Amino acid sequence: MTSLSLPTKIFLYPNSLSIQFQSQHKPPQRLTFPRNIRIICSATEQPQPQPQQQQPKKKKKNETESEKGVDPVGFLTKHGISHKAFAIFLRERHKALKDLKDEIFNRHINLRDMASGFEILGMHRHFEHRVDYMEWAPGARYCALIGDFNGWSPTENAAREGFFGHDDFGYWFIILEDKLREGEKPDELYFQQYNYVDDYDKGDSGVSIDEIFKKSNDDYWEPGEDRFVKNRFEVPAKLYEQLFGPNGPQTLEELEEIPDPETRYKAWKEQHKNDPPSNLPPYDVIDQGKEYDIFNVVSSPEWVKKVFAKKPPLEYWLETRKGRKAWLKKYTPGIPHGSKYRVYFNTPSGPLERVPAWATYVQPDIDGKQGFAVHWEPPPESAYKWKNTHPKVPKSLRIYECHVGISGSEPKVSSFNDFTEKVLPHVKEAGYNAIQLFGVVEHKDYFTVGYRVTNFYAVSSRYGTPDDFKRLVDEAHGLGLLVFIDIVHSYSAADEMVGLSLFDGSNDCYFHTGKRGHHKYWGTRMFKYGDPDVLHFLLSNLNWWVVEYQIDGFQFHSLSSMMYTHNGFASFTGDLEEYCNQYVDRDALLYLILANEILHVLHPNIVTIAEDATFYPGLCEPTSQGGLGFDYYVNLSVSEMWSSFLENVPDHEWSMSKIVSTLMGNKQHADKMLMYAENHNQSISGGKSFAEILFGESREDSQGLKQSLLRGCSLHKMIKLITFTIGGRAYMNFMGNEFGHPERVEFPMASNKFSFQLAKRRWDLLEKSVHHDLFSFDKDLMKLDENERILSRGLPNIHHVNDTTMVISYMRGPLLFIFNFHPTDSYEQYNVGVEEAGEYQVVLNTDETKFGGQGLIKDNQYLRRTISRRVDGLRNCLEVCLPSRTAQVYKLSRILRI
């Protein structure tokens, strides 16, 4: 006797329940139970010969269609780059990506499903008067929810074996039933559904369930069709009676030989040939004398057409659903809104408590108190309702980078509401079209600025509630501002209670084990990007912020930390070998490719920005051409260059060639470059803001103070102008730097005795002369881009770079930019080349008195006419007046035809 053993895998699928049977010689056979009403059950038997022969051809066709237009080394060919090792690496990476997608599709319907884990994981209200909770903890042996709603009991609400409470992939499932109010009886219908938003629904009409079901049956079944539905055992009862009844055969001899199916069928047909016509389906059998023809049953085409035209009576099922008032009358929530809770695990190393990984609102452990999650399910009348839609993504981005906590003028942690009321109107007035928020995702330690994330699905509770953040985003959209956030998927906080470290008691749940699981210098944990469940968590997290909070884009923080096993702490020479050697984390690259592909397919207007100090090749190339798929990358070298010049290099030794080469970066990708003169990293990392450097060294005498302010004001404007106009299609400014904020940022920590003195913004300086003038210039610069579309034009034509005179000049569209960085030398008639002959009008001058300048260029010098003389390799030239430390922007106002 042979026994067949089928190992069983049960998977609590994000959008379905799945039971999978795996044999040693056959592909997996799966029963799938989707979440919607439609139920699909499929168990593949041995395939018929014909489908078995056709299947490979179909697969090959699909592969050909999916690979159409895909070239793993496309961007290398595009830019004429020849490097054998890197090309091989790209091809192997592409093959690994295909294998990874195949692995994903074994458990998920598609990539959207892969990135929608938040729809079922975590805490969710179910239609059937209950709350469902699901968590991934493969190292745990027991899982329960504890909180103030059940007296913190580890046994009252636990996952139950045999009720899909735990699957073989490590997912735990717990149901929190709503509680019947006193005097109320359970629902008549076991699967009674409720609409928790509307006060009344169809089920509140007073019609009983029996009446609805009778109407459904009467409407759906034809006369006679429901005979065997109402009498399910009629046929087997008759068969049983024939075989084992009193008139049936009593011995084996009396049990005659059972006729073959064909004989029985013909006898049945002869017996019923005179029956009256009915609405029962007319069946017949194809009989061409072959062995298996008896099983080929066909029916009337008219009857088949009629059956397929019928729709299931789902509307009757919906008529049983009741409204919110009926639910409130009968039940109280099993876990009320605002309840504190944690998840309890029993692990091989003992019991432990954790804040759930998918929690959407968390109070981290502050002042020695243990952290906990907060169940966020506000009643419909108080839940936030969106008013505005996403603004259209502009062709050029002027991004205002902000931190909510330090956005106020008082020494305290500011709130989402404070930011909405006070900062958003300022950003709109300043002329920016997007804000980028960092430190929004929940983090336990305020001094980490939000970069050591503990709870990836929660907004930071120190600033307000989830609805407060929704209001911030909504109001920003109403002002025409896009909203980006800094997303930190390159590492995670090492905290255990509120973080993901040792989440289920094991060291390899979300992170690598050993040294690879820890950042080389920062002590943070490094994700295991090759694990499908970790990918599920991270990809769903990206989609969550877009779906739940209407976020318009992400800046991926510190990619070098995740793309290399040395975390980016190595010297790079630019050799492509450094981007494909043994220190490159291929799994991390595959995650970034998937992230960009999924985000751009699900949300076509999403913007993704890469922050990578190593300038990995192909950052902003399409994923189909071997790139990582980002829309922009941050040129981190620019702010470092300006900071170095201001602090370490005398003004007269500044190199114009270095300025231009650093600002232009890699010309092949310059149009994808995001530029900033200074950002928060410099001041937060212990440095100073530019204004602090420029204005901090004032002399005692009034003349010296005046000269110091003039120098600082002039260089501040020139640095902003050339950084803004020479680079790619995106520019970013950190909050306060537009008016020359004179203080660095320093978050409260032990070293400063937890002082908030430098963890705020000095908005009062906007009313003071120097800072008011700098803000006026910054506004006019933003307005110039709004009117002339500077950033969205092609790259500039840099035709004049003179290290001796310290003059830089370039054309971008119809605009001519001229900079004189010399600290002392002014030029009355300086010649710069232009291609088009005509009249050029000054549209922006850094030396205007309204910008804090001296006004050395008079009104009659604002209009200049070209001279027919070849200069800088161009056909015409312009003689301009260039005072020291000034810059002008000219626009071709009238073309002269010669």
Side-chain angles (χ1 to χ4, degrees):
M1 181 175 179
T2 304
S3 64
L4 177 63
S5 175
L6 292 176
T8 306
K9 280 191 174 182
I10 302 177
F11 175 35
L12 297 180
Y13 195 76
N15 277 328
S16 68
L17 295 177
S18 173
I19 305 178
Q20 181 172 315
F21 301 93
Q22 178 74 54
S23 69
Q24 297 177 355
H25 306 291
K26 295 182 183 179
Q29 302 178 16
R30 175 176 296 169
L31 300 178
T32 304
F33 307 96
R35 295 176 64 198
N36 54 15
I37 297 175
R38 190 165 52 93
I39 296 180
I40 301 174
C41 298
S42 65
T44 307
E45 299 294 338
Q46 287 189 355
Q48 297 294 330
Q50 187 175 356
Q52 191 174 19
Q53 294 173 1
Q54 294 177 351
Q55 190 64 26
K57 293 183 180 180
K58 186 176 180 182
K59 185 175 181 181
K60 186 175 181 181
K61 180 181 177 182
N62 290 341
E63 287 178 354
T64 304
E65 290 175 356
S66 65
E67 290 295 304
K68 188 176 181 181
V70 175
D71 184 359
V73 295
F75 82 91
L76 294 182
T77 307
K78 172 185 172 183
H79 298 298
I81 300 173
S82 177
H83 194 282
K84 184 177 180 181
F86 192 65
I88 292 174
F89 175 80
L90 291 180
R91 289 190 174 93
E92 290 177 348
R93 191 183 74 187
H94 177 68
K95 183 179 181 302
L97 178 64
K98 291 170 63 178
D99 293 341
L100 177 60
K101 288 182 178 179
D102 288 341
E103 184 178 0
I104 290 172
F105 294 149
N106 282 335
R107 288 171 55 181
H108 299 271
I109 300 171
N110 50 38
L111 290 177
R112 183 209 170 278
D113 189 69
M114 173 72 168
S116 301
F118 56 85
E119 292 181 353
I120 189 169
L121 280 141
M123 197 85 73
H124 294 281
R125 167 62 58 182
H126 193 277
F127 285 121
E128 294 168 10
H129 51 83
R130 73 186 204 217
V131 170
D132 294 344
Y133 172 78
M134 187 180 286
E135 191 69 73
W136 181 61
R141 295 175 175 175
Y142 175 85
C143 177
L145 275 178
I146 59 174
D148 54 11
F149 65 95
N150 64 6
W152 301 92
S153 169
T155 58
E156 184 169 337
N157 299 105
R160 296 177 294 172
E161 296 292 343
F163 290 85
F164 294 107
H166 183 217
D167 70 5
D168 293 329
F169 293 91
Y171 288 88
W172 296 87
F173 184 60
I174 299 174
I175 294 177
L176 303 174
E177 295 280 359
D178 292 335
K179 299 175 182 177
L180 278 170
R181 293 183 183 273
E182 188 176 351
E184 293 290 334
K185 296 180 180 179
D187 289 303
E188 295 179 49
L189 187 63
Y190 181 74
F191 295 106
Q192 177 66 59
Q193 292 188 353
Y194 287 89
N195 181 341
Y196 300 99
V197 177
D198 298 325
D199 285 342
Y200 292 95
D201 213 330
K202 294 182 179 180
D204 300 314
S205 61
V207 181
S208 70
I209 293 170
D210 291 335
E211 289 177 306
I212 292 174
F213 283 178
K214 183 178 183 305
K215 188 177 179 183
S216 169
N217 286 329
D218 293 344
D219 232 20
Y220 186 74
W221 298 106
E222 298 285 349
E225 283 185 349
D226 61 344
R227 172 184 170 189
F228 296 112
V229 174
K230 293 179 178 178
N231 304 282
R232 297 178 183 275
F233 300 106
E234 180 180 339
V235 172
K238 285 185 177 180
L239 182 61
Y240 185 90
E241 184 180 354
Q242 289 177 6
L243 291 175
F244 306 108
N247 299 322
Q250 302 298 315
T251 64
L252 287 176
E253 289 74 13
E254 293 182 18
L255 181 64
E256 300 176 355
E257 185 178 351
I258 300 175
D260 62 274
E262 183 177 2
T263 304
R264 294 201 313 273
Y265 170 72
K266 288 180 178 178
W268 176 84
K269 199 168 183 181
E270 178 67 24
Q271 181 182 353
H272 295 279
K273 65 180 180 180
N274 296 322
D275 286 359
S278 71
N279 288 317
L280 291 176
Y283 290 117
D284 210 338
V285 176
I286 300 173
D287 186 1
Q288 297 178 352
K290 295 182 181 179
E291 185 177 357
Y292 294 104
D293 279 347
I294 191 62
F295 299 111
N296 297 330
V297 180
V298 296
S299 60
S300 165
E302 293 79 11
W303 182 84
V304 171
K305 186 177 180 180
K306 184 175 76 170
V307 168
F308 277 95
K310 283 191 173 187
K311 294 181 180 180
L314 297 181
E315 60 271 15
Y316 294 106
W317 177 261
L318 295 178
E319 281 191 28
T320 66
R321 187 174 63 176
K322 298 183 179 181
R324 178 173 175 79
K325 277 193 173 182
W327 174 72
L328 287 174
K329 180 183 177 183
K330 184 178 283 285
Y331 293 100
T332 60
I335 176 169
H337 169 62
S339 298
K340 302 173 184 178
Y341 70 96
R342 288 194 290 267
V343 60
Y344 173 93
F345 295 125
N346 195 351
T347 70
S349 56
L352 53 84
E353 296 179 12
R354 294 287 185 261
V355 171
W358 299 74
T360 59
Y361 191 32
V362 174
Q363 294 282 351
D365 44 345
I366 302 173
D367 301 329
K369 298 178 181 178
Q370 286 189 327
F372 51 82
V374 178
H375 179 53
W376 189 256
E377 190 189 2
E381 57 271 15
S382 60
Y384 188 81
K385 296 175 179 60
W386 294 92
K387 298 179 293 184
N388 302 297
T389 58
H390 293 268
K392 184 179 179 182
V393 179
K395 293 184 178 179
S396 63
L397 291 174
R398 303 185 297 274
I399 305 171
Y400 193 83
E401 190 182 29
C402 343
H403 186 281
V404 172
I406 65 171
S407 63
S409 55
E410 299 178 12
K412 66 173 186 177
V413 178
S414 293
S415 67
F416 288 133
N417 290 333
D418 293 334
F419 186 92
T420 303
E421 299 297 333
K422 299 174 183 177
V423 181
L424 285 182
H426 169 78
V427 177
K428 180 64 176 177
E429 180 192 357
Y432 292 84
N433 56 21
I435 60 171
Q436 181 169 302
L437 300 165
F438 64 97
V440 166
V441 187
E442 187 61 85
H443 50 288
K444 187 185 78 170
D445 300 316
Y446 188 49
F447 71 87
T448 64
V449 199
Y451 287 131
R452 295 187 183 181
V453 174
T454 51
N455 309 96
F456 286 79
Y457 285 80
V459 294
S460 182
S461 58
R462 58 175 55 87
Y463 310 135
T465 67
D467 281 5
D468 292 337
F469 183 62
K470 288 181 180 179
R471 176 172 173 261
L472 186 158
V473 175
D474 200 17
E475 292 297 327
H477 286 167
L479 293 172
L481 300 171
L482 299 175
V483 180
F484 304 153
I485 64 170
D486 253 20
I487 197 76
V488 187
H489 283 182
S490 45
Y491 51 80
S492 174
D495 299 88
E496 296 178 13
M497 170 61 81
V498 294
L500 297 177
S501 187
L502 301 177
F503 181 71
D504 61 354
S506 63
N507 198 28
D508 61 348
C509 183
Y510 284 94
F511 309 110
H512 288 290
T513 57
K515 290 184 178 180
R516 193 177 176 186
H518 298 266
H519 194 282
K520 194 172 182 180
Y521 294 101
W522 299 341
T524 48
R525 299 303 309 271
M526 307 306 297
F527 283 108
K528 188 167 52 176
Y529 300 102
D531 190 304
D533 293 292
V534 175
L535 285 178
H536 183 45
F537 177 83
L538 294 175
L539 293 171
S540 296
N541 184 236
L542 295 173
N543 195 21
W544 158 262
W545 288 101
V546 182
V547 172
E548 181 69 14
Y549 293 108
Q550 306 293 303
I551 296 300
D552 301 289
F554 301 96
Q555 176 168 310
F556 286 71
H557 173 74
S558 188
L559 294 186
S560 55
S561 295
M562 64 186 290
M563 293 194 299
Y564 310 97
T565 56
H566 52 59
N567 305 131
F569 285 87
S571 57
F572 283 81
T573 62
D575 187 350
L576 288 179
E577 181 71 29
E578 298 165 341
Y579 302 105
C580 59
N581 58 23
Q582 70 272 24
Y583 300 110
V584 175
D585 188 339
R586 188 175 68 178
D587 291 335
L589 296 176
L590 295 181
Y591 160 69
L592 294 174
I593 293 171
L594 278 177
N596 276 297
E597 284 187 355
I598 290 173
L599 283 174
H600 285 93
V601 169
L602 297 183
H603 314 285
N605 294 323
I606 202 76
V607 176
T608 58
I609 304 168
E611 184 192 84
D612 173 29
T614 68
F615 297 107
Y616 193 87
L619 271 177
C620 296
E621 296 290 347
T623 57
S624 62
Q625 301 302 302
L628 300 185
F630 288 96
D631 298 304
Y632 298 94
Y633 73 96
V634 181
N635 187 339
L636 296 168
S637 305
V638 174
S639 60
E640 295 174 2
M641 176 198 70
W642 289 126
S643 181
S644 176
F645 274 14
L646 290 173
E647 291 193 286
N648 305 317
V649 182
D651 292 0
H652 63 277
E653 294 182 10
W654 286 19
S655 169
M656 301 299 104
S657 301
K658 182 175 181 180
I659 290 175
V660 170
S661 63
T662 304
L663 289 172
M664 286 301 296
N666 188 336
K667 289 186 179 180
Q668 294 174 340
H669 309 290
D671 62 320
K672 300 284 189 177
M673 188 163 49
L674 184 150
M675 303 275 280
Y676 55 78
E678 56 178 327
N679 78 338
H680 69 275
N681 279 337
Q682 293 166 301
S683 52
I684 288 175
S685 302
K688 300 178 180 179
S689 70
F690 287 1
E692 190 174 4
I693 299 170
L694 292 169
F695 303 136
E697 300 176 0
S698 57
R699 301 177 184 176
E700 294 182 0
D701 59 286
S702 59
Q703 184 63 28
L705 175 61
K706 182 178 179 182
Q707 289 299 320
S708 177
L709 289 176
L710 181 61
R711 170 186 176 271
C713 191
S714 299
L715 287 177
H716 198 279
K717 290 178 290 185
M718 293 180 70
I719 289 172
K720 283 289 186 72
L721 179 60
I722 193 171
T723 305
F724 183 85
T725 58
I726 203 174
R729 293 184 289 113
Y731 171 81
M732 185 163 64
N733 170 77
F734 178 55
M735 179 174 58
N737 289 346
E738 72 278 8
F739 61 84
H741 199 280
E743 297 174 350
R744 66 186 182 279
V745 179
E746 190 174 279
F747 280 75
M749 60 185 78
S751 60
N752 61 18
K753 298 181 180 179
F754 300 98
S755 170
F756 283 84
Q757 194 58 38
L758 295 176
K760 58 185 177 63
R761 296 283 86 181
R762 296 280 306 279
W763 299 110
D764 59 300
L765 296 176
L766 280 168
E767 304 301 322
K768 298 187 178 181
S769 58
V770 174
H771 303 284
H772 175 78
D773 296 341
L774 290 176
F775 182 51
S776 297
F777 175 77
D778 197 80
K779 280 199 299 183
D780 281 12
L781 180 57
M782 299 301 115
K783 191 180 298 182
L784 182 66
D785 179 64
E786 183 72 27
N787 297 333
E788 301 296 338
R789 299 178 291 111
I790 300 172
L791 298 183
S792 59
R793 295 184 183 274
L795 295 177
N797 175 24
I798 303 172
H799 56 267
H800 188 97
V801 181
N802 192 320
D803 285 315
T804 303
T805 60
M806 299 183 70
V807 174
I808 299 172
S809 178
Y810 53 88
M811 294 285 298
R812 193 164 188 178
L815 301 179
L816 171 67
F817 300 86
I818 309 174
F819 298 82
N820 177 15
F821 279 95
H822 205 288
T824 57
D825 291 353
S826 300
Y827 309 102
E828 289 292 332
Q829 294 180 328
Y830 196 92
N831 292 331
V832 294
V834 292
E835 186 65 30
E836 199 75 55
E839 292 181 348
Y840 287 78
Q841 176 77 35
V842 173
V843 293
L844 188 64
N845 174 21
T846 63
D847 193 46
E848 286 192 46
T849 54
K850 68 176 182 177
F851 300 145
Q854 301 178 82
L856 298 176
I857 301 178
K858 306 304 177 185
D859 290 344
N860 59 0
Q861 295 176 299
Y862 270 42
L863 185 65
R864 311 298 292 179
R865 179 172 291 190
T866 56
I867 301 172
S868 182
R869 185 194 309 159
R870 198 167 188 85
V871 175
D872 300 327
L874 303 176
R875 292 182 296 177
N876 299 281
C877 80
L878 209 62
E879 286 187 351
V880 296
C881 177
L882 286 180
S884 64
R885 289 201 186 105
T886 63
Q888 294 107 49
V889 182
Y890 287 85
K891 181 182 180 182
L892 178 61
S893 58
R894 188 162 72 94
I895 299 175
L896 297 180
R897 302 296 180 187
I898 300 176

